[in-house]
mmCIF file of all heavy atoms in Angstrom:
data_model
loop_
_atom_site.group_PDB
_atom_site.id
_atom_site.type_symbol
_atom_site.label_atom_id
_atom_site.label_comp_id
_atom_site.label_asym_id
_atom_site.label_seq_id
_atom_site.Cartn_x
_atom_site.Cartn_y
_atom_site.Cartn_z
ATOM 1 N N GLU A 438 103.786 169.934 162.439
ATOM 2 C CA GLU A 438 103.444 168.586 162.899
ATOM 3 C C GLU A 438 103.177 167.620 161.737
ATOM 4 O O GLU A 438 103.499 166.437 161.821
ATOM 5 C CB GLU A 438 102.215 168.626 163.826
ATOM 6 C CG GLU A 438 102.484 169.166 165.227
ATOM 7 C CD GLU A 438 102.649 170.687 165.269
ATOM 8 O OE1 GLU A 438 102.389 171.351 164.244
ATOM 9 O OE2 GLU A 438 103.056 171.213 166.326
ATOM 10 N N ASP A 439 102.582 168.141 160.660
ATOM 11 C CA ASP A 439 102.243 167.233 159.541
ATOM 12 C C ASP A 439 103.480 166.655 158.863
ATOM 13 O O ASP A 439 103.399 165.653 158.149
ATOM 14 C CB ASP A 439 101.407 167.983 158.490
ATOM 15 C CG ASP A 439 100.003 168.279 159.005
ATOM 16 O OD1 ASP A 439 99.607 167.674 160.015
ATOM 17 O OD2 ASP A 439 99.332 169.146 158.407
ATOM 18 N N TRP A 440 104.603 167.317 159.055
ATOM 19 C CA TRP A 440 105.834 166.846 158.410
ATOM 20 C C TRP A 440 106.675 165.990 159.368
ATOM 21 O O TRP A 440 107.684 165.438 158.940
ATOM 22 C CB TRP A 440 106.652 168.030 157.908
ATOM 23 C CG TRP A 440 106.005 168.736 156.751
ATOM 24 C CD1 TRP A 440 106.155 168.437 155.429
ATOM 25 C CD2 TRP A 440 105.105 169.848 156.807
ATOM 26 N NE1 TRP A 440 105.409 169.290 154.662
ATOM 27 C CE2 TRP A 440 104.757 170.171 155.463
ATOM 28 C CE3 TRP A 440 104.555 170.596 157.846
ATOM 29 C CZ2 TRP A 440 103.887 171.214 155.152
ATOM 30 C CZ3 TRP A 440 103.685 171.638 157.525
ATOM 31 C CH2 TRP A 440 103.358 171.929 156.193
ATOM 32 N N ALA A 441 106.268 165.928 160.634
ATOM 33 C CA ALA A 441 107.016 165.131 161.622
ATOM 34 C C ALA A 441 106.410 163.729 161.665
ATOM 35 O O ALA A 441 105.703 163.370 162.601
ATOM 36 C CB ALA A 441 106.956 165.799 162.995
ATOM 37 N N ILE A 442 106.686 162.955 160.623
ATOM 38 C CA ILE A 442 106.040 161.654 160.486
ATOM 39 C C ILE A 442 107.090 160.569 160.202
ATOM 40 O O ILE A 442 107.997 160.776 159.409
ATOM 41 C CB ILE A 442 104.962 161.691 159.357
ATOM 42 C CG1 ILE A 442 104.279 160.334 159.160
ATOM 43 C CG2 ILE A 442 105.536 162.193 158.030
ATOM 44 C CD1 ILE A 442 103.197 160.059 160.152
ATOM 45 N N CYS A 443 106.953 159.458 160.909
ATOM 46 C CA CYS A 443 107.829 158.305 160.683
ATOM 47 C C CYS A 443 106.941 157.068 160.622
ATOM 48 O O CYS A 443 106.077 156.873 161.487
ATOM 49 C CB CYS A 443 108.842 158.193 161.827
ATOM 50 S SG CYS A 443 109.829 156.688 161.789
ATOM 51 N N PHE A 444 107.144 156.248 159.599
ATOM 52 C CA PHE A 444 106.300 155.056 159.448
ATOM 53 C C PHE A 444 107.009 154.014 158.589
ATOM 54 O O PHE A 444 108.023 154.312 157.943
ATOM 55 C CB PHE A 444 104.955 155.432 158.806
ATOM 56 C CG PHE A 444 105.080 156.068 157.447
ATOM 57 C CD1 PHE A 444 105.176 155.293 156.297
ATOM 58 C CD2 PHE A 444 105.112 157.454 157.306
ATOM 59 C CE1 PHE A 444 105.298 155.874 155.039
ATOM 60 C CE2 PHE A 444 105.244 158.043 156.044
ATOM 61 C CZ PHE A 444 105.337 157.248 154.912
ATOM 62 N N ALA A 445 106.440 152.812 158.567
ATOM 63 C CA ALA A 445 106.962 151.742 157.700
ATOM 64 C C ALA A 445 105.841 151.216 156.817
ATOM 65 O O ALA A 445 104.669 151.199 157.241
ATOM 66 C CB ALA A 445 107.515 150.606 158.556
ATOM 67 N N LEU A 446 106.209 150.822 155.601
ATOM 68 C CA LEU A 446 105.238 150.219 154.673
ATOM 69 C C LEU A 446 105.941 149.160 153.830
ATOM 70 O O LEU A 446 107.153 149.276 153.592
ATOM 71 C CB LEU A 446 104.669 151.278 153.721
ATOM 72 C CG LEU A 446 103.606 152.229 154.259
ATOM 73 C CD1 LEU A 446 103.286 153.290 153.212
ATOM 74 C CD2 LEU A 446 102.336 151.500 154.702
ATOM 75 N N PRO A 447 105.202 148.178 153.325
ATOM 76 C CA PRO A 447 105.797 147.306 152.305
ATOM 77 C C PRO A 447 106.077 148.133 151.052
ATOM 78 O O PRO A 447 105.317 149.065 150.736
ATOM 79 C CB PRO A 447 104.679 146.274 152.026
ATOM 80 C CG PRO A 447 103.739 146.375 153.183
ATOM 81 C CD PRO A 447 103.821 147.780 153.688
ATOM 82 N N THR A 448 107.144 147.804 150.337
ATOM 83 C CA THR A 448 107.516 148.606 149.164
ATOM 84 C C THR A 448 106.488 148.492 148.034
ATOM 85 O O THR A 448 106.447 149.352 147.153
ATOM 86 C CB THR A 448 108.905 148.187 148.629
ATOM 87 O OG1 THR A 448 108.980 146.759 148.623
ATOM 88 C CG2 THR A 448 110.021 148.756 149.468
ATOM 89 N N ASN A 449 105.659 147.426 148.063
ATOM 90 C CA ASN A 449 104.663 147.281 146.984
ATOM 91 C C ASN A 449 103.290 147.836 147.382
ATOM 92 O O ASN A 449 102.270 147.445 146.837
ATOM 93 C CB ASN A 449 104.539 145.816 146.547
ATOM 94 C CG ASN A 449 104.112 144.901 147.683
ATOM 95 O OD1 ASN A 449 103.943 145.347 148.810
ATOM 96 N ND2 ASN A 449 103.925 143.626 147.386
#
Side-chain angles (χ1 to χ4, degrees):
E438 285 75 9
D439 289 345
W440 291 272
I442 179 81
C443 172
F444 59 85
L446 283 174
T448 43
N449 60 358

